[in-house]
Amino acid sequence: MTEELKPLRTWSHLVGQRRRPSEYEIVSVGLLWHARGETVPFEVEGASFMNDWVMRYRDNSAITHDDWDSFRDPDELVYRTYNILQDGQESYVDGLLDQYDNEGHDESLSGAWLDVLEALYTPGRYLVHTSQMASAYLVHMAPASTICNCAAFQTADALRWVSRIAYRTASLAKAHPDRSFGESERATWENAPAWQGYRELMERALVAYDWAEAFVALNLVAVPAISEGYYRAMALSARRNDDTLLALMAEAALRDGDRARRWSQALVGHMLDVESNRAQLQEWVDAWAPYGTSAIEAFAGELPDVPDRAAAGSEALRRAHSSAGLATSDG
Amino acid sequence: MALLERSEWYDIARRTEWTPGYVSDDELYPEGHSGDYDIPGEAWSTYDEPYKISYREYVDIQRQKDAGAYSVKAALERMDLRSKVDPGWISTLKLHYGAVSVVEYNAGLMESRFVRWARSPGMRNMGTFGMLDEIRHAQLQLFFPHEYVPTDRQFDWAHSGMKSNNWGIIAGRHFFDDMMMTRDAVSTSILLNFAFETGFTNLQFIGLSSDAANAGDFSFSKLIQSIQSDEARHAQIGTPMLAMMIENGEKERAQRLVDVAFWRSWKLFTILTGIPMDYYIPLDKREGSFKEFMQEWIVTQFVNSLEDLGLAKPWYWDIFLADIDEHHHGQQLGTWSWRPTLWFSPAAGVGPDERDWLEEKYPGWNDTFGKCWDAIIENLKRGDIGRTVPGTLPIICNMSNIPIRRTTRWSTTGGSTTSARSPIAGSSSRTRSATPPTKRSLIACSPARSSPPTSAVCCSTWASACSATAVATPTTTSGCPPTSRVPTRRRRTDRWQHSHSR
């Protein structure tokens, strides 16, 4: 029998920390058994596909760090605080929908603006769903559970807005049964020029298999591009076309995007702990930013009454890279 | 409020499939992730999850559930659990948390694979909720045991265990690497969501919840009840996929997946649930026997769900039914004997009253397993502790990674031994005979390799090594169904490391 060891005040891996660990640290840090530095992630013969995939695109990523587990979400969200936060946010959106429904909002929209909604708003569920899928890739490919968690909440945020767009699509279809709300979105997503920038960006981001490149493509380019084009430019155009409901909903979505920006910047900062990562990150930003810029310009250029938003969106994307500690791309 | 009903917009939210134009379909959905099942493209959109929920409903309901679970924890926080409940229950908690908490987190990663790689948009959305659920379960089951760490080092295993090379952890990790982490999204939804979650997690979460309340651990009881309410939802992810496979000519592969997952799950749960239920939990707190829970939740309910889908019972069903009476008793003998290797202090649970209960629930227990315990007890009474701790290592099943035990009733003929029922690996036959004349079975039954113990009724690799009077050569019969994958053997020498927490 071996000697009985003394109890610890917290998990053994947090004992060296001087202060008392927070709930966030207790439940979030160091949870990937397959990222513990063994020769292969998964100890199963016959799992060569998954082992090869994870070794190639996670463990042998060009972006390296000795201690991925030391990354911390700046918002320190845990599951229960995420639900408290988002339940409140959803109550706000419910309140908007109820209020504007009582005011006969959908019936009051102009024909010209309904054309815009058909062409540029309701097909957006396809766009946001692709970001849901791409975020989920980061969940199972990131090298630390604290990164996985951020990506998981981002995945759920995307489903939130897929759901709300679907809701509004059904509302508009009910108010305007003569239009094609709920029917034409897929064809519009696949064919309309306004969407092809976003579609190309997202399809390519979905097959960026290196986890760190996928993060750059999604969180440093696609998510900001969606925020600046689909939500921010749309909100402004909606307000100028008497669709305050859409403006307020889009701005609510931007709050989720702000959280994505915060953890993305923090992760870039973590990556830049290793100076040799900078060149690779910059190379990827330079490669992906043009897709983001093209997407914003193609989309926002079609929105009415916001002539400056395409340029402003692209500038915002460059600022996002700058504030993350990377050089701005000329995109 | 004048809001739309969920049903008015739900289908729109799961119509998100599109044809890629800038990358190929193979790049977007590689076979290794998305599966190579022969299901036509349009069929994927017919996936219809039986348990529907919206994001808005989800965050509301889950916030309330968490409020309930955490408030019970807060209310009971000052209760000194260790002084209030039986040590056997404490061991149950340590076993549970060490084997479950971090696994739950990685189940969230599994669900996220559905979100990225499943071809059915409805499954991608349900996977999103499943991912959140599993993160919840991990965080709850890390936060709750963390409270006990300052009083008992063994609770550290709730966090650190799954990264260790302890033998029990390796077995669990191999199971989950195989069933949960490394197969394509379609197969995984059958293996984990359907076979594992709709079948076996009920045992752990419903069975142990009642026992926890009886034992006075209301915090744990509330915790796992709350978790089970999520499982009931996301466990449904695999069922429509299974139905889709059957409708599209993939019934044989679906059956094979169920067969593999069921056997692997069964072996794991004999230790995780079977031992605590029948040995650790104080006698007067037991809700029922492991066998009774198995018969209710698995033999009856799971089989009903299989048959509803048009699938058959696994080909080894008769072997499994016999195993319910026996297997975990052998594992209890073994885990107790190799107690220095565990991260918890196992209760023997074989006092006179407990033996009466075991005999009632498992007729014949006293004449079989009881005799092994008699030998152990005699050694303990003589103060010969050394003879109760084996100096040899057990033989590990190359697939299940748990010690091989042989507690079937042996018939002895001419010095050779044969097992009346022994599942043999390596064949997909669904009409297997009881004693197939395969090379493996000949080896297992060879008198040169296996001598019956003196009791002639109970021999297990576990039990024989700790017997004071009989030391049987281990047999090598493994309970492997076909197609399961064996572990990579890189750290074999580490697997018997002693738990540092004792």
Side-chain angles (χ1 to χ4, degrees), chain A residues 3 5-6 10 12 29 34 43 45-46 79 82 87 91 94 98 129 149 182 190 199 203 209, chain B residues 2 15 18-19 22 27 55-56 58 63 105-106 124 139 146 153 156 159 485-486 490 500 502:
Chain A
E3 180 187 354
L5 299 177
K6 289 180 182 174
T10 182
S12 48
V29 180
H34 38 87
E43 295 169 317
E45 281 181 10
Y79 178 88
Y82 176 80
D87 184 39
S91 293
D94 274 352
D98 183 48
H129 183 67
N149 285 353
E190 291 182 355
R199 185 166 163 237
E203 288 184 9
Y209 298 142
Chain B
R15 283 208 307 266
W18 83 101
T19 305
Y22 300 91
E27 289 175 288
Y55 178 92
R56 201 280 161 270
Y58 183 88
R63 179 189 59 75
Y105 186 78
N106 287 273
R124 298 201 287 262
Q139 297 194 344
H146 183 265
R153 179 73 166 262
D156 185 53
H159 182 278
R485 300 181 292 186
V486 298
R490 295 175 302 100
H500 65 67
R502 287 191 59 79

Side-chain angles (χ1 to χ4, degrees), chain B residues 142-250:
Chain B
L142 288 165
F143 198 52
F144 278 49
H146 183 265
E147 174 189 335
Y148 304 136
V149 173
T151 56
D152 190 330
R153 179 73 166 262
Q154 290 183 330
F155 277 104
D156 185 53
W157 279 66
H159 182 278
S160 64
M162 282 304 291
K163 289 185 179 178
S164 79
N165 281 325
N166 173 277
W167 68 269
I169 295 296
I170 287 178
R173 199 164 59 217
H174 180 264
F175 173 90
F176 289 107
D177 276 353
D178 189 10
M179 299 287 102
M180 188 167 87
M181 305 303 287
T182 58
R183 307 214 190 199
D184 67 80
V186 174
S187 302
T188 304
S189 72
I190 309 303
L191 294 161
L192 242 292
N193 298 108
F194 180 76
F196 181 80
E197 286 183 334
T198 66
F200 285 89
T201 54
N202 285 325
L203 281 176
Q204 187 74 358
F205 289 103
I206 295 178
L208 277 189
S209 177
S210 304
D211 288 333
N214 292 341
D217 189 351
F218 300 104
S219 181
F220 187 76
S221 178
K222 175 72 179 177
L223 167 72
I224 58 176
Q225 272 180 35
S226 187
I227 287 172
Q228 180 59 26
S229 67
D230 299 334
E231 295 282 335
R233 170 168 25 78
H234 69 241
Q236 303 298 324
I237 286 175
T239 309
M241 185 55 68
L242 199 49
M244 190 188 299
M245 289 173 73
I246 293 166
E247 284 169 16
N248 289 279
E250 294 281 9

Side-chain angles (χ1 to χ4, degrees), chain A residues 58-322:
Chain A
R58 184 189 71 185
D59 298 349
N60 292 315
S61 168
I63 301 299
T64 60
H65 200 290
D66 288 341
D67 188 10
W68 285 115
D69 278 330
S70 61
F71 171 77
R72 297 289 183 270
D73 171 12
D75 285 33
E76 298 204 352
L77 271 188
V78 297
Y79 178 88
R80 68 165 162 163
T81 53
Y82 176 80
N83 283 314
I84 292 168
L85 176 73
Q86 295 300 68
D87 184 39
Q89 293 294 311
E90 285 287 274
S91 293
Y92 165 71
V93 174
D94 274 352
L96 292 179
L97 291 168
D98 183 48
Q99 178 177 335
Y100 281 88
D101 184 72
N102 289 338
E103 294 171 3
H105 170 268
D106 288 355
E107 291 76 7
S108 72
L109 297 170
S110 72
W113 182 246
L114 288 169
D115 290 342
V116 172
L117 293 178
E118 273 181 323
L120 298 173
Y121 174 59
T122 58
R125 78 171 187 273
Y126 285 88
L127 169 65
V128 182
H129 183 67
T130 58
S131 79
Q132 180 185 346
M133 294 170 69
S135 300
Y137 185 67
L138 293 179
V139 179
H140 57 269
M141 288 298 289
S145 49
T146 46
I147 305 171
C148 302
N149 285 353
C150 293
F153 296 136
Q154 180 173 296
T155 306
D157 290 343
L159 176 57
R160 176 187 181 200
W161 292 105
V162 168
S163 304
R164 287 306 190 181
I165 296 165
Y167 182 104
R168 287 295 297 140
T169 304
S171 273
L172 289 162
K174 200 171 178 180
H176 302 283
D178 51 324
R179 288 183 171 266
S180 61
F181 288 113
E183 303 298 330
S184 61
E185 285 84 9
R186 177 172 177 169
T188 305
W189 164 249
E190 291 182 355
N191 301 310
W195 287 104
Q196 297 318 297
Y198 276 131
R199 185 166 163 237
E200 181 172 10
L201 166 62
M202 295 312 301
E203 288 184 9
R204 293 191 185 284
L206 282 166
V207 302
Y209 298 142
D210 181 290
W211 87 271
E213 183 176 10
F215 163 74
V216 169
L218 178 65
N219 275 60
L220 300 189
V221 176
V223 170
I226 293 170
S227 287
E228 294 305 322
Y230 183 65
Y231 289 125
R232 199 180 307 280
M234 176 70 78
L236 193 57
S237 183
R239 190 169 281 113
R240 291 172 181 176
N241 285 274
D242 300 323
D243 191 350
T244 312
L245 172 61
L246 176 53
L248 292 170
M249 288 181 69
E251 284 160 0
L254 286 170
R255 281 192 273 278
D256 291 348
D258 286 344
R259 176 156 36 79
R261 180 177 49 75
R262 287 193 294 276
W263 79 260
S264 302
Q265 287 186 359
L267 183 53
V268 171
H270 192 73
M271 291 171 167
L272 292 177
D273 288 347
V274 180
E275 185 55 33
S276 59
N277 287 335
R278 182 179 295 276
Q280 182 62 71
L281 285 173
Q282 190 66 56
E283 182 182 325
W284 281 333
V285 166
D286 291 345
W288 283 96
Y291 290 109
T293 304
S294 296
I296 294 170
E297 289 175 353
F299 182 84
E302 296 287 320
L303 285 168
D305 305 313
V306 286
D308 58 339
R309 288 316 301 174
S314 299
E315 177 55 31
L317 190 60
R318 282 190 281 274
R319 278 201 308 275
H321 299 154
S322 174

Side-chain angles (χ1 to χ4, degrees), chain B residues 69-116:
Chain B
Y70 282 88
S71 67
V72 170
K73 178 182 184 297
L76 299 175
E77 211 153 47
R78 288 184 182 80
M79 183 179 113
D80 179 7
L81 189 73
R82 297 216 313 163
S83 68
K84 296 283 196 309
V85 303
D86 188 276
W89 178 253
I90 299 291
S91 294
T92 302
L93 283 183
K94 290 171 182 171
L95 169 56
H96 173 90
Y97 284 129
V100 171
S101 303
V102 171
V103 167
E104 296 266 25
Y105 186 78
N106 287 273
L109 272 56
M110 172 201 78
E111 298 277 354
S112 78
R113 292 199 291 118
F114 301 159
V115 186
R116 170 60 187 87

Side-chain angles (χ1 to χ4, degrees), chain B residues 113-126:
Chain B
R113 292 199 291 118
F114 301 159
V115 186
R116 170 60 187 87
W117 306 112
R119 286 176 172 271
S120 298
M123 186 172 169
R124 298 201 287 262
N125 289 351
M126 293 311 292

